[in-house]
Amino acid sequence: MIEPEVSTIKPQPADKNKIWKIWWVAIILGVVTAAEFFVALQFPESWKDFKIFLFIGMTFIKAGYIVMEFMHLGHEQKSLMWTILLPTAFVVWLLGALFIQADAIYLAIYG
Amino acid sequence: MANSVSVNTNSKDLWGGGVEPYKASYGKLMMWFFLISDAFTFSAFLISYGVIRFKHPGYEGTLSDFSFSQTYWPVPEKVFEAFPFFHGVELPLVFVGLMTFILILSSVTMVLAVEAGHRMDRQGVEKWMIWTIIGGLTFLGCQAWEWSHFIHGTDAGSRLLDGSIIYGANLELNQYGPPDFAAFFFFITGFHGFHVFSGVALNFLIFYQATVGILERRGHYEMVEKVGLYWHFVDLVWVFVFTFFYLV
C-alpha cells in the first residue's frame, strides 16, 4: 500500500493565455454542435442534400479542432502529423468502393 | 516531456539509438499508432452502416407523416426523441445532443489536466482528472438510459408484416425499421460505449497514480498525456457517430 504523501514540488504558475485558448477551442466546439442542431431541426426538409453537406462540413471542423488542438497533433513535428493523417486516405478509398457497391446492390434488388 | 530525457542530436549517431523519432516519446508514438488502427475499425463500422442504409429504401414522405415500418430505413430524429422524465414529449435529438456536450466538456477538462501536468501541478491534475472521470461516467449513464429506452421501445410499438405488434428492439427485430438498423445501433454505440468505459478506467488509474504521488516521483506527468490522447479520440469518434448515425 502506497501512502499518500505531502508534495514538496512547487508547481509552475499557469499561463493564462494557454488556459484561455483551451476554453476558446471548447467554445468553438460547443457553438458548432449547437449549429448542427439548428440545421437539423430548423432547416426545411427539402434541403436534405444541403443539410448533409453542412453536417459533414461541421463534423470535419470539429474533428480538426479536436485532433489539432486537443490532441496536439498540429503542434507536433510535421512528419509525425502526416504519418497520422495520410493513412486516413484508405478510409476515403473504402468509402468510395463500398458506396459504389451499395448502389449496385440497391439497383439489383429494387432497380 | 523531452526535458527529462537527454536526446542525442548529433546526426552521425542517428542510428545509434537514444534518439526519439518525430521528437515524440515511445509511449505517445505507440498511442498514436494504436489510435490510427482504432480509427480504421470505427471507419469500417460507420461505412458499413452507410452501405446497409443505402441498400434499403429511404423514407419518401414528409417528417410529420412518418411512422415506423420494416420496409424502409427510419429517420433517426424520429427514433431518438425521448428524454428522461419527459415521457411522451417529442424532443428530437435533444438527449443525444446533451450527451455530445457532456463528452466535449470532459475532453476540455482532460486538456486542462494535461496542462496542469506540464506544470507539475499535482492538485491541478487531480482536480481536472476527477472532473473528466465524472464527465465520462455521466456519459455512460446517459448511454445506459438511451439503450434501455431503445430496447423497451415506445408505448405504441409498431406493427410487423404478419400483423403482430413489436415493442422496442433486439438483435433480430425492432419496431423502428429493418433489423439491421437496431443491430448497427447496438454495435456502433456499444463499441464506442466500451471505449468510453475503458477510457474512464484508464483515467481513474491515472487519477490514482497522481493522487498517491507516483507520477510526481517519476518526475513527469506524461501518462496523463497518453491517456488524454485516448480520451480525446473517444470524443472524436463520438463526433462522427453523432453526425453519421443521428443527424444524417
Side-chain angles (χ1 to χ4, degrees):
Chain A
M1 181 70 199
I2 307 154
E3 289 298 324
E5 56 185 68
V6 180
S7 172
T8 51
I9 294 180
K10 217 172 164 322
Q12 294 152 22
D15 180 352
K16 286 269 182 295
N17 277 336
K18 227 170 149 184
I19 306 277
W20 174 237
K21 205 181 166 204
I22 293 170
W23 284 106
W24 181 239
V25 175
I27 290 167
I28 293 174
L29 292 176
V31 167
V32 174
T33 306
E36 281 181 325
F37 263 93
F38 187 78
V39 171
L41 302 175
Q42 298 298 322
F43 279 29
E45 287 166 47
S46 52
W47 294 6
K48 197 162 186 282
D49 290 342
F50 180 57
K51 280 163 89 172
I52 290 174
F53 172 77
L54 285 180
F55 288 146
I56 294 175
M58 288 193 280
T59 302
F60 277 93
I61 291 173
K62 286 205 282 186
Y65 274 106
I66 291 173
V67 175
M68 292 303 162
E69 294 298 328
F70 282 4
M71 298 173 90
H72 218 255
L73 192 59
H75 307 284
E76 304 284 355
Q77 265 196 356
K78 288 287 164 281
S79 47
L80 172 58
M81 193 178 94
W82 289 115
T83 306
I84 301 302
L85 291 185
L86 286 181
T88 52
F90 287 113
V91 174
V92 180
W93 168 79
L94 186 69
L95 189 72
L98 287 192
F99 272 42
I100 292 169
Q101 187 90 1
D103 220 28
I105 295 172
Y106 182 87
L107 282 177
I109 301 175
Y110 302 99
Chain B
M1 288 277 102
N3 52 6
S4 58
V5 189
S6 73
V7 178
N8 188 345
T9 47
N10 187 348
S11 60
K12 276 184 185 165
D13 300 332
L14 269 179
W15 298 93
V19 179
E20 290 180 331
Y22 303 129
K23 291 204 179 78
S25 74
Y26 177 79
K28 257 167 81 175
L29 211 50
M30 290 307 124
M31 181 54 92
W32 269 113
F33 288 138
F34 163 68
L35 292 182
I36 190 96
S37 71
D38 218 15
F40 284 143
T41 312
F42 274 108
S43 309
F45 259 141
L46 283 172
I47 291 172
S48 42
Y49 170 80
V51 167
I52 299 300
R53 184 174 175 170
F54 262 38
K55 208 194 90 177
H56 287 82
Y59 174 67
E60 297 290 349
T62 58
L63 267 186
S64 45
D65 298 329
F66 179 82
S67 64
F68 295 133
S69 163
Q70 303 288 311
T71 52
Y72 49 78
W73 204 257
V75 179
E77 66 173 86
K78 286 289 174 185
V79 178
F80 305 102
E81 56 169 29
F83 199 91
F85 310 113
F86 286 88
H87 187 80
V89 185
E90 281 186 26
L91 297 162
L93 301 178
V94 174
F95 192 57
V96 73
L98 177 69
M99 288 165 69
T100 307
F101 277 114
I102 290 169
L103 207 56
I104 287 177
L105 264 186
S106 84
S107 223
V108 176
T109 55
M110 188 79 212
V111 187
L112 292 166
V114 171
E115 193 273 338
H118 281 155
R119 295 185 288 105
M120 296 298 289
D121 180 357
R122 178 159 141 188
Q123 281 188 330
V125 172
E126 285 171 23
K127 177 178 76 176
W128 292 118
M129 283 310 288
I130 201 79
W131 278 115
T132 309
I133 292 166
I134 289 172
L137 287 176
T138 314
F139 182 87
L140 283 174
C142 292
Q143 206 167 35
W145 185 88
E146 179 158 276
W147 269 52
S148 157
H149 182 269
F150 189 83
I151 290 168
H152 290 294
T154 58
D155 293 338
S158 139
R159 194 173 291 276
L160 293 179
L161 292 175
D162 67 358
S164 61
I165 291 181
I166 178 175
Y167 300 95
N170 54 45
L171 280 175
E172 281 155 12
L173 271 179
N174 69 85
Q175 69 165 73
Y176 312 103
D180 286 341
F181 174 71
F184 270 107
F185 173 80
F186 289 130
F187 275 98
I188 292 178
T189 67
F191 197 58
H192 176 265
F194 182 67
H195 274 74
V196 179
F197 173 76
S198 32
V200 170
L202 289 172
N203 284 346
F204 184 78
L205 184 72
I206 297 309
F207 168 72
Y208 174 79
Q209 291 191 339
T211 308
V212 298
I214 294 177
L215 298 181
E216 191 170 281
R217 274 195 299 276
R218 194 176 287 168
H220 59 79
Y221 282 83
E222 203 193 67
M223 276 314 286
V224 182
E225 254 178 274
K226 283 182 253 184
V227 171
L229 280 180
Y230 181 75
W231 189 250
H232 296 312
F233 177 76
V234 167
D235 183 31
L236 178 71
V237 169
W238 182 255
V239 164
F240 281 90
V241 171
F242 178 61
T243 301
F244 293 112
F245 203 94
Y246 293 94
L247 287 179
V248 170

